[in-house]
Amino acid sequence: MKTVSSISLTLGACALLFFATPRAVMAQTDCLSCHADTTMQDGSGQNVGVDAHKFGDSIHGVLQCSQCHTTIKEYPHPDQITPVKCESCHADEAAGLVGSVHASRAEHPCTSCHGDAHSIYPKTDPKSAVYPLNVPRTCGQCHGNDAMAKKHGLNNVYPMYLDSIHGFALSNEGLLVAANCQSCHGSHHILSHTDPQSATYKANVPATCGNCHAGITADYSNGVHGKAVAAGKKGAPVCSDCHTAHAIEQPTAAAFRMQSTPICGNCHKEKFSTYRDTFHSQLGSLGGYVETARCWDCHKAHEILPASDPRSPVAPANLVKTCGRCHAGANASFVQYQPHANAHSRKLNPALYYVTLFMNLLLVSVLTFFMIHTLLWLIRSRYDQVKARAAKGGKNA
Amino acid sequence: MPDLERVADDGGAVSGMKARFFTRFTREQRYLHAVLFTAFLGLAATGLPMRFAQTPWARRFASGVGGFGAIIFFHKMFAVVLTIAFLIHLKEIFTRGVLHREKGIFWGSTSMVANWKDVKDLVGHLRWMVGLGPKPQFERYAYWEKFDYWAVFWGMLVIGFSGYAMWFAPFFARFLPGWALNAVLVVHSEEGLLAILFIFSIHFVNTHLRPDSFPMDMVVFTGVESEEEFKHKRTQEYERLAKEGKLEQRVATAPPLWLVNFSKVVGFTAIAIGLILLVLTLSAYFS
């Protein structure tokens, strides 16, 4: 550390020689002769100490103090000094913040994300607060806070994210390519999802996810949902409508498969209701180690095509193959089975309608007759029993 | 039956004289009933969670036993057991009725086949219940017992066929029309529900919980019943046997204590399971 800081000091000294201007720039050593005391406080009790080693190690360690603290030109300096303006160097980032959700510099100073001003590291450095593996924790300082979430009408997304497939890959496996907050939201120019320019605006979500999931996004764009969204239909789902934005689960995991059909059922209510009547749904609802057909097992998840499209797995010509993926020996007659038959519709499924009607009538008539029969019988035999015992002078029961 | 300790009839006898016992069911018939109700309880306990898969109790049960995979495994296992029991019964009927030409299997007072007397008994019984006539006297099998028998017989055919059609759907699809593959689930679950509701409410009350038998009719477990019970419940059969001089052939020993106690444990367990399943079914149906 000493070597590094002395190199920095040397570099700083060189810079001073080269860029020496008429104004008197003080050397780091001058300032640090007082401020190296890390417990140092100003009149208002604010800590004004600087860890010289950390600072020397940081990305700004080559700079002289007065390059940021521009108002300090000589010693002794005034008690009140003007705040540092990062944008004097970082103009692009500052421009990005304008109009973003974090535009207020009072509420969101640069240091709220980048950490202590005197130990800022490049984002490729694991010590940096904005190193990919550290980003969720940095954002989570605010976005993992219930009170803050409530105040701004947001979800407390940090715990959701950590439990998601992205969060798991990032925190448990240290995958740098796993999506962190800024992979989807950007860093400085973060816009509300209601802003059409935002990466998280509904119509832009497929492109945002497609930055990593290019293959899936291409499939999705070919399917009915992708085409509808591209055509400007607001009701059609984008990635986050099915997968959620932050609590994204591994789609092959039981937990997601168990709740998958209700997801499609949110929009496809009638299809969901008829599916619910089938054996596929009954056993699907119970989970376990035997899997059952969920919506996308037949319809596909992303490249969803109508049955009229010959490429669709539910096109009549493809049914034997599609059903045969689970049902060994499926044949042309077997695939006449209707996975969405409506037993309540005489028009659509007359045979099923009458079978159901017959079974219901049988059930109701048999039970009704015997309920009455048994009830009368019970009353009468109890009456006789009580009478017989009373006649014998015994107890009634 | 092992020659164990006999129960002296000093507890239940009303008169001072020693009560006699009469055989009603053979050992084979009692075993068949035991296999039947064990398989039936198993099928009901595993079938109901599938029928009412959306209810919290079904899901809790499923996650407790290892999910749908375990449920369907046991459901199929009980189904095979019941199928074998059914086939054994058919074989017995065929051997006794057709090969040995035994009388009273397909026709007559000891047959399970319904006859004109059953119609008259039903009407007469209903009239008696509302106080419009005398109580009819019953033969070996009363009309509601024949109904129980044929309900189970028909139920096993219908539920069994529809069940196997689902189990081996691609095979059955070769000769069943497409809509039938949809219909078998409806038939299977509705008929199963009817069987469950009928057995756990009506059969339980008619056979076990009604005042004449309360709390449980032990005859299907021990195979024998007391003379008093025989005379009271199946007067016509008792009198016919007495007239034919065949009553003595049916005299049996009192059931051993261990069998009575064992039967009580098994019987009450079955009734308890049945009532729990009944409550769950009704709660799922009306929620």
Side-chain angles (χ1 to χ4, degrees), chain A residues 291-351:
Chain A
E291 251 314 330
T292 170
R294 318 270 178 179
C295 312
W296 65 73
D297 291 316
C298 306
H299 295 279
K300 284 196 169 180
H302 300 109
E303 196 174 12
I304 303 168
L305 298 169
S308 55
D309 189 318
R311 290 171 301 161
S312 167
V314 293
N318 301 332
L319 281 177
V320 169
K321 190 179 159 213
T322 304
C323 302
R325 281 169 49 213
C326 297
H327 299 277
N331 48 43
S333 156
F334 176 77
V335 301
Q336 297 305 305
Y337 173 78
Q338 294 187 29
H340 292 283
N342 186 345
H344 307 292
S345 165
R346 186 164 53 180
K347 217 167 163 188
L348 292 173
N349 304 93

Side-chain angles (χ1 to χ4, degrees), chain A residues 276-277 279 282-283 285 287 289 329 331 333-334 336-338 341 351 355 359-360 363 370 373-374 377 380 384-385, chain B residues 50 53-54 66-70 125 128-129 143-144 147 169-170 173 178-179 181-182 185 187 190-191 202 205-206 211:
Chain A
R276 270 271 162 100
D277 290 339
F279 198 51
Q282 289 181 356
L283 50 109
S285 310
Y289 47 84
N331 48 43
S333 156
F334 176 77
Q336 297 305 305
Y337 173 78
Q338 294 187 29
V355 167
M359 292 310 299
N360 284 335
L363 195 129
F370 275 100
H373 177 272
T374 300
W377 192 4
R380 180 64 208 246
D384 278 10
Q385 195 184 44
Chain B
M50 290 193 269
Q54 303 303 326
F68 167 76
H125 206 204
W128 165 76
M129 288 177 203
Y143 68 88
W144 71 87
F147 186 89
W179 61 264
L181 294 178
N182 283 101
L185 176 65
V187 170
E190 292 290 291
E191 184 68 29
I202 291 159
V205 175
N206 284 358

Side-chain angles (χ1 to χ4, degrees), chain A residues 2-32:
Chain A
K2 267 216 160 112
T3 332
V4 174
S5 82
S6 59
I7 288 172
S8 309
L9 289 177
T10 319
L11 281 172
C14 291
L16 195 84
L17 283 174
F18 274 97
F19 303 108
T21 58
R23 58 191 174 124
V25 178
M26 294 162 71
Q28 279 187 359
T29 42
D30 296 338
C31 304
L32 286 172

Side-chain angles (χ1 to χ4, degrees), chain A residues 32-54:
Chain A
L32 286 172
S33 58
C34 296
H35 288 278
D37 173 9
T38 52
T39 60
M40 187 180 183
Q41 291 184 339
D42 69 5
S44 62
Q46 196 178 333
N47 186 301
V48 291
V50 172
D51 185 323
H53 290 301
K54 271 195 185 166

Side-chain angles (χ1 to χ4, degrees), chain A residues 58-87:
Chain A
S58 82
I59 195 167
H60 295 136
V62 295
L63 301 178
Q64 294 303 328
C65 307
S66 61
Q67 284 180 275
C68 294
H69 300 283
T70 50
T71 50
I72 298 172
K73 296 189 162 49
E74 55 194 4
Y75 180 83
H77 59 77
D79 281 353
Q80 293 295 320
I81 60 166
T82 52
V84 170
K85 287 195 167 68
C86 301
E87 62 267 38

